[in-house]
Amino acid sequence: MKYPTILGAHFGALVAFALSKGMSMDDVQAVSGLAPGEILNPEARVPETRMAGLWNELFRRFVRGGNLRTSYRLEGHNECSLPEGLGG
């Protein structure tokens, strides 16, 4: 199954936020499953599930009682589950 993607620049903005909140680049790599070159490439296409994995980690760390979802459904799209080991 091929997942929808987002522009690397959008993922990079979330990474910058995560780093500003104290996450390390190693942490970002671990939860996103992406290599540094993929994380830092604004022209790359990043699977939405990788961004969801990073959001879930941010919720887990910084939001009391964070909603750790391993699947999501956008209006008009099929449900998408995170790959094994990502997210919650």
Side-chain angles (χ1 to χ4, degrees):
M1 169 191 254
K2 187 161 173 94
Y3 294 106
T5 61
I6 59 167
L7 187 60
H10 295 275
F11 184 75
L14 184 60
V15 169
F17 175 76
L19 296 174
S20 77
K21 293 297 182 186
M23 285 184 71
S24 69
M25 186 57 84
D26 288 339
D27 293 338
V28 171
Q29 284 181 255
V31 298
S32 70
L34 297 173
E38 295 171 299
I39 292 171
L40 300 174
N41 182 353
E43 300 298 320
R45 297 302 305 182
V46 178
E48 284 182 351
T49 54
R50 305 309 172 129
M51 190 164 193
L54 182 53
W55 270 118
N56 281 338
E57 183 62 16
L58 287 167
F59 272 108
R60 187 187 72 74
R61 289 181 184 216
F62 304 113
V63 178
R64 179 170 282 167
N67 181 15
L68 299 178
R69 298 176 58 188
T70 57
S71 67
Y72 61 97
R73 185 173 195 282
L74 299 173
E75 180 97 22
H77 296 278
N78 293 331
E79 183 170 336
C80 183
S81 296
L82 294 175
E84 184 74 26
L86 294 180

